[in-house]
């Protein structure tokens, strides 16, 4: 069995813009590999190079041992690709789309039904509805079905959960977990950092560069700074005050809490208390927490920018 | 083969589910042919004229009767004075005024010379000229009638026969023209738009990352339009024959084969346009500006190619439409066979081959 995806020193520029800079990574068999990064980081460009739609300026890449430039025809037979934008025929019904994509891959829906069954049963009630009239989550499930219908060896999913409600997002990731167990290597990109925890390994990409490739657990373990969750009745003045405190290293809002790290860790706590005392924040609370994957990414992205 | 069939079926779904496409495909041909056939015409029928008869004798009365005897003129008003002429023209309805001076009959028989004045509204010079010619012919006939059978000493008799279109029906010119225009539009514009649409909506991205060979993608998209264009050709021919009395003197099989050939040429052009455009809008503009305008102006559809300056005449040779119009007219009106139209057919074949070859070479197997 060949390694599903190998990328070596890939560079790509569009005019003066460096879209990808020195990208290298591998995705192993049955691995769910996440590419996490903000919009414009170069995720889609990388996907298009791997799906043989774009040529890299420099570097090599293979998919299932096939070169993305020389063997593009062979690659196109074995991969499943779901582009970032919803790219099915909006005026065809769910069933027609599925049949169409099955046929152009020389197969039938029935032949690989067991692979798509779990997803298909969810969209089956709408099978006579035009694809353009489905909800965001349904559209993505249909697109995943279409990308899976020919039983690909490698699956490329470019931002499959963008614009999808939280419940559908969760379901979608559960499906990916099950597909991975069936031995399909999956490269998935997402701008949502919380989804990183659901991947076997993740790569953080920013401004066309990979920052770190590791398992999500490792990334969290490497983060060794103490962190506090801070809360007060009025959050806006609190964040202002904390950010102007000279010993603050970082302070980001996460939901209803602020995640705070200090330059000298716990040694600065007294100073902070003395600093905040005269400001008179109501319902002030502060407790130590374990950093999550999102904190780690914020930290990584920050250090890259400096 | 199954892939191809399913692909073509998908294309039919697109066409039949989009009202706009359907309207362009089937509404436009009918509207155009009716417009060109009935509304836009250079023939003159029932032109409204005014008469200022100062003589009011038997002979002038008969002249006026003769003028309105045919279907050319309709006398709208009888004027009383020279001053009224200007006013009558200003009203705008009147295209020509016939002035018969006093003592018309008397002058004719005693002085051997009578005068009739024709005033035409030359705001539209073509109409004015045509009206004057009609009027002259009628007056000339009347003069001969008055002279009686006695022959003039020396005469040249011109016998005129309008070959291939004796009634000078402009429809005979417009039907081939409109047919060419519509086949070109439907085939070239619709195919270039439909391929550009796949690119614009991102579906081309998925189609490319599939085992489908590019040639299959293109033929799969184009074949439905070949069928529909051909149906269109039949509709236009049918309307031409039954609605406007257009003859088909030549072989109908040859005519249909030539139609099919021209459809292929236009499709080649459409595919070529689609290889260089990524947006439906661009494809449409390119087809409209790059095909429609030159075709209307340079193909001999409206303006005769022979009277154009040399550079434009040369340019007209690269219009597929010019050759197709010649073929159509020859087959339908003159009854020509392949023996006469083979050079034009060969030109169309060559163009088709050229367009398709360039398209295949330019077709992108990747996104950029």
């Amino acid at each position: 069995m060949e390694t599903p995806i190998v990328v070596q020193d890939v560079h790509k520029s569009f005019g003066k813009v460096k879209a990808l800079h020195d990208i290298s990574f591998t995705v192993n068999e049955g691995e769910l590999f996440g590419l996490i990064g903000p919009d414009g980081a170069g995720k889609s460009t990388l996907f298009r190079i791997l799906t043989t739609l774009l040529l890299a300026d420099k570097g090599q890449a293979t998919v299932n041992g096939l070169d993305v430039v020389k063997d593009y025809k062979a690659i196109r037979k074995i991969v499943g690709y779901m582009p970032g934008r919803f790219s099915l025929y909006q005026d065809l019904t769910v069933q027609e789309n599925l049949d169409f994509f099955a046929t152009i891959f020389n197969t039938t829906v029935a032949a690989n039904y067991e692979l798509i069954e779990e997803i298909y049963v969810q969209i089956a009630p709408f099978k006579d509805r035009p694809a353009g009239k489905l909800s965001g989550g349904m559209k993505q499930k249909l697109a995943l079905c279409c990308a899976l219908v020919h039983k690909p060896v490698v699956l490329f999913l470019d931002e499959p959960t963008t614009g999808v409600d939280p419940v559908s997002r969760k379901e979608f990731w559960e499906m990916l977990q099950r597909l991975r167990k069936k031995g399909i290597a999956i490269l998935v990109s997402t701008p949502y950092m919380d989804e990183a925890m659901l991947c076997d390994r993740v790569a953080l990409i920013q401004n066309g560069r990979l920052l770190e490739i590791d398992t999500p657990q490792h990334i969290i373990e490497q983060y060794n700074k103490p962190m506090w969750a801070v809360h007060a009745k009025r959050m806006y003045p609190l964040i202002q005050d904390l950010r102007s405190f000279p010993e603050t290293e970082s302070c980001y809002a996460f939901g209803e809490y602020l995640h705070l790290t200090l330059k000298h860790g716990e040694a600065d706590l007294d100073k902070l208390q003395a600093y905040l005392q005269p400001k008179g924040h109501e319902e002030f609370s502060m407790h130590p927490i374990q950093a999550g994957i999102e904190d780690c990414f914020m930290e990584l992205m920050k250090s890259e920018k400096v | 083969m199954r892939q191809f069939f399913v692909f073509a079926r998908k294309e039919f779904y697109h066409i039949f589910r989009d009202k706009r496409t359907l309207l362009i495909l089937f509404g436009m041909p009918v509207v155009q042919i009716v417009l060109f056939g009935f509304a836009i015409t250079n023939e003159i029928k029932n032109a409204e004229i005014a008469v200022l008869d100062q003589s009011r004798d038997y002979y002038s009365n008969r002249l006026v009767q003769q003028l309105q005897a045919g279907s050319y003129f309709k006398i709208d008003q009888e004027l009383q004075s020279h001053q009224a002429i200007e006013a009558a023209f200003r009203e705008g309805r009147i295209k020509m005024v016939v002035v018969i001076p006093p003592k018309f009959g008397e002058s004719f028989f005693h002085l051997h010379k009578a005068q009739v004045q024709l005033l035409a509204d030359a705001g539209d010079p073509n109409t004015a000229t045509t009206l004057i010619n009609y009027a002259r012919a009628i007056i000339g006939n009347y003069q001969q009638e008055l002279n009686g059978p006695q022959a003039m000493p020396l005469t040249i008799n011109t016998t005129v026969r309008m070959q291939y279109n004796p009634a000078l029906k402009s429809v005979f010119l417009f039907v081939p023209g409109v047919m060419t225009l519509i086949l070109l539009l439907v085939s070239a514009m619709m195919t270039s738009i439909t391929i550009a649409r796949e690119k614009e909506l991102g579906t081309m991205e998925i189609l490319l990352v599939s085992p489908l060979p590019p040639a299959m993608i293109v033929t799969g998209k184009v074949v439905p339009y070949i069928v529909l264009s051909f149906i269109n050709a039949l509709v236009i021919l049918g309307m031409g024959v039954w609605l406007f009395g257009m003859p088909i003197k030549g072989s109908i099989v040859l005519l249909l084969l030539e139609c099919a050939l021209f459809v292929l040429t236009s499709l080649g052009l459409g595919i070529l346009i689609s290889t260089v455009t990524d947006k439906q809008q661009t494809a449409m503009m390119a087809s409209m500006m790059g095909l429609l305008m030159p075709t209307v102006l340079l193909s001999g559809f409206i303006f005769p190619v022979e009277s154009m300056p040399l550079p434009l005449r040369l340019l007209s040779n690269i219009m597929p439409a010019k050759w197709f119009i010649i073929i159509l007219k020859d087959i339908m009106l003159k009854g020509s066979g392949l023996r006469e139209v083979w050079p034009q057919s060969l030109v169309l074949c060559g163009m088709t081959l050229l367009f398709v070859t360039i398209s295949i070479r330019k077709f992108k197997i990747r996104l950029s």
Side-chain angles (χ1 to χ4, degrees):
Chain A
M1 192 72 185
E2 301 279 353
T3 315
I5 303 174
V6 179
V7 182
Q8 277 177 328
D9 314 322
V10 164
H11 291 252
K12 176 78 187 173
S13 306
F14 296 105
K16 280 184 183 160
V17 184
K18 278 225 127 205
L20 292 175
H21 186 86
D22 202 10
I23 304 283
S24 302
F25 66 92
T26 53
V27 178
N28 301 313
E29 206 189 324
E31 189 173 37
L32 178 54
F33 191 97
L35 204 55
I36 320 285
D39 289 345
K43 299 190 297 288
S44 294
T45 307
L46 184 56
F47 270 88
R48 285 178 174 166
I49 288 174
L50 290 175
T51 50
T52 73
L53 286 171
L54 282 180
L55 294 176
D57 298 338
K58 237 171 83 183
Q60 284 96 45
T62 58
V63 174
N64 207 35
L66 300 161
D67 187 84
V68 290
V69 182
K70 277 207 312 277
D71 308 318
Y72 75 94
K73 279 186 184 158
I75 291 180
R76 289 177 181 190
K77 291 194 175 101
I78 57 158
V79 300
Y81 173 43
M82 198 175 140
R85 203 158 41 123
F86 179 67
S87 303
L88 300 178
Y89 296 103
Q90 316 238 2
D91 52 343
L92 298 194
T93 66
V94 170
Q95 190 65 49
E96 284 162 354
N97 265 300
L98 204 53
D99 285 337
F100 174 73
F101 285 103
T103 312
I104 66 170
F105 278 96
N106 258 326
T107 178
T108 57
V109 176
N112 295 314
Y113 186 67
E114 40 90 27
L115 193 62
I116 58 167
E117 186 179 7
E118 282 170 281
I119 314 162
Y120 183 70
V121 290
Q122 298 185 34
I123 49 174
F126 312 102
K127 69 182 163 65
D128 293 322
R129 191 182 288 191
K133 295 213 165 87
L134 292 174
S135 68
M138 286 295 169
K139 275 182 184 167
Q140 296 309 80
K141 281 172 195 166
L142 174 60
L144 182 61
C145 270
C146 290
L148 275 174
V149 74
H150 59 291
K151 207 171 182 186
V153 182
V154 186
L155 196 53
F156 293 95
L157 308 173
D158 191 3
E159 299 202 6
T161 53
T162 301
V164 174
D165 65 275
V167 177
S168 296
R169 264 172 67 188
K170 188 164 165 289
E171 285 173 357
F172 198 91
W173 276 94
E174 283 165 6
M175 284 168 207
L176 296 189
Q177 305 286 356
R178 285 194 288 267
L179 288 174
R180 183 196 56 161
K181 289 195 184 102
K182 287 177 180 163
I184 299 174
I186 304 171
L187 178 65
V188 58
S189 74
T190 175
Y192 303 118
M193 296 177 186
D194 55 322
E195 292 180 345
M197 284 309 284
L198 304 165
C199 302
D200 296 328
R201 281 195 302 152
V202 291
L204 186 64
I205 186 170
Q206 190 182 24
N207 297 328
R209 289 165 194 273
L210 284 189
L211 303 185
E212 174 127 18
I213 306 169
D214 213 332
T215 62
Q217 288 74 23
H218 262 131
I219 291 178
I220 294 174
E221 280 163 22
Q222 276 169 18
Y223 193 92
N224 44 17
K225 290 174 186 160
M227 177 173 274
W228 291 271
V230 191
H231 182 78
K233 190 180 178 189
R234 295 179 62 218
M235 294 295 276
Y236 186 67
L238 181 64
I239 198 168
Q240 298 270 315
D241 287 343
L242 285 174
R243 281 193 173 159
S244 48
F245 178 56
E247 304 301 323
T248 296
E249 190 178 347
S250 70
C251 176
Y252 299 105
F254 279 91
E256 48 185 317
Y257 284 93
L258 299 178
H259 287 190
L260 175 74
T261 59
L262 298 171
K263 280 178 187 159
H264 307 101
E266 278 150 13
D268 282 331
L269 270 183
D270 294 338
K271 267 194 225 167
L272 180 65
Q273 247 163 9
Y275 170 78
L276 284 177
Q277 202 71 53
K279 312 270 182 194
H281 289 286
E282 290 173 53
E283 296 173 26
F284 181 82
S285 76
M286 183 168 173
H287 57 270
I289 51 159
Q290 179 67 47
I293 191 90
E294 292 167 72
D295 300 305
C296 303
F297 284 143
M298 296 304 267
E299 177 71 19
L300 281 167
M301 286 164 74
K302 200 178 98 188
S303 54
E304 179 66 20
K305 268 181 198 152
V306 171
Chain B
M1 205 56 219
R2 214 183 98 75
Q3 286 172 309
F4 176 77
F5 169 73
V6 169
F7 202 109
R9 190 183 60 187
K10 177 213 74 154
E11 206 52 38
F12 274 115
Y13 284 150
H14 287 321
I15 296 168
F16 288 117
R17 286 180 192 175
D18 184 17
K19 296 220 167 58
R20 232 172 13 165
T21 312
L22 267 186
L23 199 68
I24 295 179
L25 267 176
F26 294 108
M28 193 178 67
V30 175
V31 170
Q32 283 219 356
I33 198 136
V34 167
L35 267 183
F36 276 110
F38 287 118
I40 307 172
T41 161
N42 336 338
E43 295 160 56
I44 290 167
K45 261 187 194 161
N46 296 326
E48 302 195 320
I49 60 168
V51 174
L52 171 56
D53 184 359
Q54 294 169 314
S55 169
R56 297 201 173 275
D57 55 18
Y58 170 72
Y59 295 103
S60 71
N61 259 338
R62 272 190 54 199
L63 176 59
V64 173
Q65 273 168 18
Q66 297 245 329
L67 277 174
Q68 51 181 339
S71 62
Y72 297 122
F73 299 113
K74 207 179 106 201
I75 293 176
D76 184 66
Q77 43 186 300
E78 305 239 351
L79 304 176
Q80 301 304 327
S81 68
H82 275 286
Q83 284 77 19
I85 294 175
E86 180 73 18
F89 272 129
R90 277 185 188 276
E91 262 180 57
R93 225 174 32 231
I94 306 284
K95 297 283 174 234
M96 190 176 75
V97 175
V98 181
V99 182
I100 304 173
K103 299 182 181 149
F104 176 75
E106 223 181 292
S107 322
F108 184 74
F109 286 106
H110 297 283
L111 301 173
H112 301 288
K113 202 175 184 177
Q115 285 191 324
V116 174
Q117 191 185 18
L118 300 173
L119 295 109
D121 176 0
D124 178 354
N126 286 338
T127 313
T129 318
T130 315
L131 287 177
I132 295 287
N133 284 339
Y134 284 161
R136 272 204 183 128
I138 294 172
I139 294 168
N141 280 343
Y142 181 55
Q143 176 191 334
Q144 273 197 346
E145 193 189 310
L146 290 183
N147 277 335
Q150 78 197 69
M152 272 181 266
L154 293 165
T155 49
I156 298 176
N157 269 330
T158 47
T159 16
V160 180
R161 192 177 127 85
M162 289 297 179
Q163 194 77 342
Y164 308 127
N165 184 3
L168 289 181
K169 285 189 188 164
S170 57
V171 153
F172 285 19
L173 173 65
F174 284 130
V175 168
V178 171
M179 188 154 148
T180 311
L181 198 64
I182 287 169
L183 289 185
L184 192 73
L185 262 190
V186 168
S187 311
M189 189 168 90
M190 298 308 268
T191 44
S192 63
I193 288 179
T194 180
I195 296 179
R197 182 163 68 175
E198 298 260 1
K199 293 186 186 174
E200 199 176 313
L201 294 180
T203 41
M204 193 55 111
E205 222 173 310
I206 301 194
L207 292 183
L208 285 177
V209 188
S210 80
L212 280 188
M216 174 99 83
I217 299 179
V218 172
T219 34
K221 291 205 74 73
V222 158
V223 163
Y225 285 95
I226 296 184
V227 175
L228 294 175
S229 303
F230 199 71
I231 295 177
N232 254 327
L234 292 179
V235 169
I236 299 169
L237 273 180
M239 286 179 74
V241 170
W242 284 301
L243 208 57
F244 298 109
M246 180 100 185
I248 300 179
K249 290 196 178 140
S251 147
I252 189 146
V253 178
L254 179 64
L255 185 67
L256 294 181
L257 282 178
E258 295 284 357
C259 288
L261 173 62
F262 184 66
V263 166
L264 287 180
T265 315
S266 317
L267 288 171
L269 210 52
I271 299 171
L272 189 61
I273 293 174
S274 74
T275 56
V276 291
T277 52
D278 286 340
K279 294 264 181 298
Q280 295 183 64
Q281 202 79 23
T282 332
M284 196 165 89
M285 292 312 278
S287 315
M288 286 291 223
M289 293 296 160
L291 291 180
L292 191 56
M293 294 294 286
T295 300
V296 170
L297 299 178
L298 289 179
S299 65
F301 170 24
I302 293 180
F303 308 108
V305 175
E306 293 75 17
S307 53
M308 288 177 194
L310 186 66
L312 287 184
R313 250 183 297 160
L314 292 179
L315 197 63
S316 75
N317 286 331
I318 62 165
M319 301 289 147
K322 175 191 163 174
W323 305 105
F324 185 58
I325 290 183
I326 296 177
I327 294 175
L328 278 183
K329 280 193 201 159
D330 280 4
I331 296 180
M332 295 175 85
L333 302 179
K334 296 185 192 164
S336 311
L338 192 57
R339 195 195 299 260
E340 286 84 14
V341 296
W342 69 265
Q344 288 87 355
S345 312
L346 205 63
V347 170
L348 286 185
C349 284
M351 285 179 169
T352 313
L353 214 61
L354 182 74
F355 294 147
V356 172
T357 317
I358 301 178
S359 309
I360 290 174
R361 302 196 66 163
K362 282 190 78 94
F363 189 85
K364 289 176 196 142
I365 52 163
R366 297 196 161 83
L367 282 182
S368 64

